[in-house]
Amino acid sequence: MPPRPSLHSLLLMAASASSSSAATTAATGGHPHRIRMLHSFSPGRVPRRPEVACCVRGAPDARRSAPAPAPLRSRNVHSASNYGAASEERLGQLIQKLKNEGINPKQWRLGNFQRMLCPQCNGGSSEELSLSVFIRKDGMHATWNCFRSKCGWRGFIQADGVTNISQGKTDIESETDQEVEAKKTANKVYRKVIEEDLNLEPLCDELVEYFSMRMISAETLRRNKVMQRNWNNTISIAFTYRRDGVLVGCKYRAVDKTFSQEANTEKIFYGLDDIKRAHDVIIVEGEIDKLSMDEAGYRNCVSVPDGAPPKVSSKIPNKEQDKKYNYLWNCKDYLNSASRIILATDDDHPGQALAEELARRLGKERCWRVKWPKKNDTDTCKDANEVLMFLGPQALRKVIEDAELYPIRGLFSFKDFFPEIDNYFLGIHGDELGIHTGWKSLDDLYKVVPGELTVVTGVPNSGKSEWIDALLCNINKQCGWKFVLCSMENKVKEHARKLLEKHIEKPFFDARYGGDAQRMTPDEFEAGKQWLNETFHLIRCEDDSLPSINWVLDLAKAAVLRHGVRGLVIDPYNELDHQRPSNQTETEYVSQILTKVKRFAQHHSCHVWFVAHPRQLHNWNGGPPNMYDISGSAHFINKCDNGIVVHRNRDPNAGPLDVVQVCVRKVRNKVIGQIGDAFLTYDRVTGQYKDAGKSTIAAVTAVQKRQNSYAKSKKDNVAYEMPFPHPVEDDSVSGEDDSISGEDGRNSFGL
């Protein structure tokens, strides 16, 4: 692109061309001047302190005469002096009384609402400047109000000798600054502006050339009524804001790239008439971006009048207090008919903050957003005009055509998860098919998947906790996972002994249970302690209070973020604090708890084992209980991803006493398992579990058949039947993703 002259040089050329005519006008005595107050603001994102600028021009009509000089008013100097002294005395009294209340800012402001730190609540944990203090300039009274809902400290004081009649409002009825601002907005009367009064004129050739360098044609400028203003021999670009063709306001761009606009005029969109009855509306951040969209063929575009905020606000104020975005309320009727609103704000943090503020007010469900393309190998176009200048109108049209739905928290499309789905298909993480348990007979039925919940149950003293500990040791040995344990039934030293015996494969003591096995050596013990410290983290209550599920999950979250743990054990459910509202049933409470646990597992890609005891069993025949018998609610099996019953043989006539039956009663994901039973043998010396041999499985199976046949012949009220074991050699899988065992203990194959 050829080099183009700067706007500064073009405007100086235009100003010098008109200087001779201005000098002639001045030499003839000139016309009376009109002075108008403007508020100027910086072109940057953060507005500067309001400044006063004068717009001076000669009157177009000679019939207008200069205003008569204002007559001088005489006043009693002594009376004014006495009033001032009395006001100072009252102000001194008010300030002293405020200090006695603990209100003591570094600088006092009179006649304005002043924000400061509340001495009662200290602004809460965020130290918010929540206290609003107002002191009348004449020292009659002062009011204060803390807007923090947990504080709400309010008060009213008055100077000595001031009667209640002089108070506008007394005590806590004093108006807040929000109420005052709302009343000002509601009662505000906007100034009507006329083109002749603004001294607007058509664009000079130099400015037309400037816009052409930005790929904006003279026809687009005429259609959008872009004009210029010659003030004090300086030319500014004038963007006229109109509604139904009538001038409402005007915004100026000066030589030094500063912006100003007519004061006390109604705030509306630039180009508002172009979106009248439009179903698709494009909103940009600046007037030149609006003109650029016009060049690309999109006339249904408007620009915000005040630029972008530095960041997203914490909350949306009500209509009366939403001064920054009152143009949205003023143009509400134009936007109501739009079914799709495309937010094409600048590609920077303030621009994205503006898009969020607009979407929150307009409704994210009908908002779309654009993605700006690259203008070269390294840089991305910032706005619509840069796309037009560097890539052309066709590229700008494609940007609008490819606009995407504005994201709504909690609402997604599958496209948002394509990278995750791709990794799942390609097996990038390596755990897509689950982590092996370490027991071949169980791997065909159950594997550990990050982000899932496994509920484990069994009658007391069946070895539920021992089996989970052995499973964790196997997973750590296989892939190095770390775990956080919330095991309220285990003393720390006893739990450490169990884990070390499984890891080192030797007994902790030379005790009777160890038999002739050699005890672990001191070196093995020290190495085991290091392994314990690196692999496991503990959640423990240090006082007599019961831990709540929220407390446990908060600490588990800290362990995930700080130590990188991949598994959480909560053992057991009945050791948690179960206080609940009086109007909430236990079933609703259990459902709520399990939902929280599942959300934690999914969000942190952490597998959770939740141990829950069954209720008291009546007419128990010695077989494994059913998942529906867990104390509290059927939601334990309904909401979990995997349901497992751990059962130990207690009858010498039913087979070896060291046989442990692991009954997989629910598998939600058919990829990683199915319904069935696995048999393990328990080594009492080391606490390890091993796959049971075929002869052991055959013996247990025969006993179970005889027990089930006897129970059927009796036809009594037997609650449970012993399910047949799942053969290790059978590689078939359940045809249902969410298959569970029936209440009679049989699996999905009818065994």
Side-chain angles (χ1 to χ4, degrees):
M1 180 178 295
R4 55 185 176 87
S6 66
L7 176 60
H8 183 277
S9 60
L10 291 172
L11 291 178
L12 288 181
M13 292 168 58
S16 62
S18 61
S19 61
S20 58
S21 60
T24 304
T25 303
T28 59
H31 296 283
H33 295 86
R34 299 186 63 183
I35 299 179
R36 183 171 59 260
M37 308 302 290
L38 301 175
H39 291 291
S40 65
F41 55 90
S42 168
R45 302 295 181 187
V46 183
R48 298 190 304 179
R49 177 177 57 85
E51 299 174 354
V52 177
C54 295
C55 178
V56 184
R57 73 171 186 85
D61 194 342
R63 292 175 293 179
R64 296 181 182 178
S65 59
L72 296 176
R73 296 181 180 179
S74 62
R75 65 175 181 170
N76 191 323
V77 178
H78 296 286
S79 176
S81 177
N82 294 338
Y83 179 79
S87 297
E88 290 182 3
E89 182 180 356
R90 290 193 297 268
L91 287 172
Q93 295 175 6
L94 287 181
I95 290 176
Q96 185 58 46
K97 290 183 178 182
L98 289 172
K99 288 182 178 179
N100 294 339
E101 296 287 345
I103 302 174
N104 188 18
K106 296 181 180 179
Q107 183 179 2
W108 296 94
R109 297 178 184 174
L110 306 179
N112 290 315
F113 288 94
Q114 181 178 0
R115 287 295 184 94
M116 61 187 68
L117 197 66
C118 177
Q120 298 293 319
C121 64
N122 294 321
S125 59
S126 62
E127 297 184 356
E128 176 188 4
L129 300 180
S130 58
L131 185 68
S132 177
V133 181
F134 179 83
I135 306 174
R136 280 185 53 156
K137 291 182 179 181
D138 56 7
M140 291 293 183
H141 67 258
T143 60
W144 66 87
N145 182 19
C146 180
F147 295 104
R148 291 190 69 245
S149 58
K150 294 184 178 180
C151 179
W153 183 48
R154 309 175 74 175
F156 172 89
I157 58 173
Q158 60 186 13
D160 297 338
V162 178
T163 62
N164 290 338
I165 299 176
S166 64
Q167 302 173 18
K169 284 192 176 183
T170 59
D171 200 27
I172 60 173
E173 293 180 351
S174 57
E175 290 180 304
T176 64
D177 49 353
Q178 286 94 339
E179 292 170 342
V180 171
E181 291 297 331
K183 286 186 176 181
K184 287 182 179 179
T185 303
N187 300 326
K188 187 172 183 179
V189 177
Y190 296 111
R191 180 170 65 93
K192 294 184 178 181
V193 292
I194 304 174
E195 291 188 38
E196 291 77 10
D197 292 341
L198 302 184
N199 196 25
L200 301 181
E201 56 190 27
L203 291 174
C204 61
D205 294 339
E206 288 80 4
L207 286 181
V208 174
E209 176 65 19
Y210 164 75
F211 279 106
S212 68
M213 292 295 182
R214 304 193 70 159
M215 307 299 292
I216 297 173
S217 65
E219 175 59 30
T220 298
L221 297 173
R222 284 192 294 270
R223 199 189 76 81
N224 290 275
K225 294 182 173 58
V226 181
M227 307 183 77
Q228 70 181 35
R229 182 189 65 168
N230 190 345
W231 168 52
N232 198 20
N233 296 331
T234 302
I235 292 180
S236 299
I237 301 173
F239 298 102
T240 57
Y241 283 68
R242 302 173 186 270
R243 180 194 284 124
D244 295 328
V246 178
L247 186 65
V248 175
C250 193
K251 185 175 175 181
Y252 306 103
R253 173 171 175 165
V255 175
D256 56 355
K257 294 186 179 181
T258 58
F259 292 83
S260 61
Q261 54 186 329
E262 293 293 332
N264 299 324
T265 57
E266 184 182 6
K267 292 291 183 65
I268 62 172
F269 282 113
Y270 177 68
L272 182 61
D273 288 343
D274 286 341
I275 64 168
K276 196 170 185 179
R277 292 185 293 274
H279 295 290
D280 289 354
V281 173
I282 304 171
I283 300 179
V284 293
E285 193 174 326
E287 291 82 4
I288 294 182
D289 293 328
K290 150 63 178 169
L291 303 177
S292 301
M293 287 292 180
D294 205 324
E295 288 292 336
Y298 293 106
R299 293 188 177 181
N300 55 325
C301 177
V302 291
S303 169
V304 300
D306 289 339
K311 61 180 182 179
V312 179
S313 59
S314 58
K315 62 180 181 179
I316 302 177
N318 58 38
K319 175 181 177 181
E320 290 75 17
Q321 299 170 9
D322 200 11
K323 296 187 296 182
K324 172 69 177 176
Y325 302 94
N326 62 356
Y327 56 86
L328 291 174
W329 302 100
N330 296 336
C331 304
K332 183 179 179 181
D333 293 339
Y334 288 77
L335 297 170
N336 283 343
S337 61
S339 58
R340 188 171 76 137
I341 299 176
I342 301 175
L343 304 178
T345 55
D346 288 2
D347 186 32
D348 53 18
H349 290 299
Q352 299 309 305
L354 174 61
E356 177 66 17
E357 294 285 7
L358 294 175
R360 292 162 69 185
R361 290 163 173 82
L362 297 172
K364 293 183 179 180
E365 66 278 359
R366 59 172 178 163
C367 287
W368 299 58
R369 65 178 180 180
V370 301
K371 185 176 182 180
W372 299 114
K374 287 185 173 294
K375 60 183 177 182
N376 51 43
D377 294 337
T378 57
D379 300 325
T380 302
C381 293
K382 184 177 79 71
D383 52 30
N385 186 244
E386 282 199 359
V387 175
L388 181 65
M389 291 173 60
F390 287 90
L391 304 176
Q394 184 63 35
L396 186 54
R397 285 193 291 271
K398 182 172 176 53
V399 168
I400 300 300
E401 292 170 359
D402 294 344
E404 300 175 347
L405 288 167
Y406 198 89
I408 300 176
R409 184 176 182 180
L411 181 62
F412 305 94
S413 63
F414 269 104
K415 183 180 179 181
D416 299 324
F417 297 92
F418 276 174
E420 181 180 345
I421 297 173
D422 292 341
N423 293 338
Y424 186 43
F425 177 75
L426 298 174
I428 299 298
H429 298 295
D431 54 15
E432 288 77 10
L433 299 180
I435 304 298
H436 291 276
T437 63
W439 301 295
K440 184 178 179 181
S441 60
L442 186 58
D443 284 340
D444 292 337
L445 308 176
Y446 170 73
K447 295 185 184 69
V448 177
V449 177
E452 290 190 353
L453 167 64
T454 297
V455 172
V456 180
T457 190
V459 297
N461 202 27
S462 291
K464 300 182 293 295
S465 301
E466 284 273 0
W467 177 79
I468 291 178
D469 287 345
L471 176 64
L472 302 187
C473 291
N474 291 348
I475 295 174
N476 172 260
K477 183 177 181 180
Q478 180 184 164
C479 54
W481 273 24
K482 298 179 180 180
F483 307 93
V484 57
L485 309 176
C486 181
S487 183
M488 282 77 76
E489 289 184 335
N490 275 318
K491 297 178 181 178
V492 173
K493 59 183 181 181
E494 292 297 330
H495 205 172
R497 174 185 62 78
K498 296 175 184 179
L499 291 170
L500 287 175
E501 287 179 341
K502 291 175 175 59
H503 176 66
I504 300 175
E505 301 181 10
K506 291 182 179 180
F508 193 84
F509 292 116
D510 281 329
R512 181 172 55 86
Y513 76 90
D516 296 333
Q518 184 180 2
R519 180 189 185 187
M520 63 182 68
T521 65
D523 291 339
E524 291 172 333
F525 174 66
E526 291 299 326
K529 287 197 303 182
Q530 184 67 24
W531 170 79
L532 269 181
N533 190 58
E534 294 176 352
T535 305
F536 299 99
H537 302 275
L538 305 176
I539 295 177
R540 308 286 297 185
C541 250
E542 298 179 354
D543 50 30
D544 295 334
S545 61
L546 293 176
S548 66
I549 190 63
N550 291 333
W551 182 79
V552 172
L553 295 182
D554 286 343
L555 291 177
K557 176 182 177 181
V560 170
L561 300 177
R562 177 175 291 186
H563 304 296
V565 303
R566 301 297 304 277
L568 164 65
V569 177
I570 303 176
D571 180 14
Y573 161 77
N574 62 348
E575 290 288 340
L576 295 174
D577 181 12
H578 298 308
Q579 294 184 17
R580 65 180 189 272
S582 58
N583 60 347
Q584 186 180 40
T585 66
E586 185 177 12
T587 298
E588 293 171 340
Y589 171 73
V590 171
S591 176
Q592 185 181 70
I593 280 185
L594 295 177
T595 297
K596 291 180 179 180
V597 174
K598 289 190 66 175
R599 294 295 176 267
F600 168 83
Q602 293 171 2
H603 183 71
H604 297 286
S605 190
C606 179
H607 195 100
V608 179
W609 290 269
F610 203 153
V611 178
H613 294 308
R615 63 176 179 265
Q616 185 177 1
L617 303 179
H618 300 284
N619 301 318
W620 182 45
N621 66 353
N626 194 276
M627 291 291 295
Y628 283 108
D629 293 314
I630 297 178
S631 176
S633 171
H635 280 305
F636 279 105
I637 188 171
N638 294 338
K639 304 197 76 168
C640 69
D641 297 296
N642 308 287
I644 292 178
V645 178
V646 177
H647 184 67
R648 182 173 63 86
N649 178 35
R650 292 171 172 79
D651 184 4
N653 297 324
L657 296 179
D658 62 346
V659 174
V660 175
Q661 184 177 357
V662 181
C663 311
V664 180
R665 291 292 174 258
K666 178 180 179 180
V667 179
R668 188 183 300 278
N669 184 0
K670 68 179 181 182
V671 174
I672 59 100
Q674 60 182 331
I675 302 300
D677 295 347
F679 288 87
L680 307 175
T681 57
Y682 175 67
D683 185 350
R684 191 166 182 268
V685 175
T686 63
Q688 289 185 310
Y689 290 80
K690 297 180 181 179
D691 288 302
K694 292 183 179 180
S695 58
T696 301
I697 295 176
V700 173
T701 302
V703 173
Q704 288 179 352
K705 287 182 178 180
R706 290 196 300 270
Q707 288 180 339
N708 290 339
S709 299
Y710 176 77
K712 289 180 180 179
S713 63
K714 293 289 292 182
K715 295 183 180 180
D716 56 4
N717 189 21
V718 177
Y720 312 101
E721 296 179 1
M722 295 284 285
F724 295 151
H726 177 77
V728 177
E729 296 79 13
D730 189 357
D731 293 330
S732 62
V733 298
S734 171
E736 299 292 337
D737 266 0
D738 200 10
S739 56
I740 61 174
S741 64
E743 291 195 20
D744 62 351
R746 296 180 181 272
N747 56 30
S748 60
F749 295 99
L751 298 179

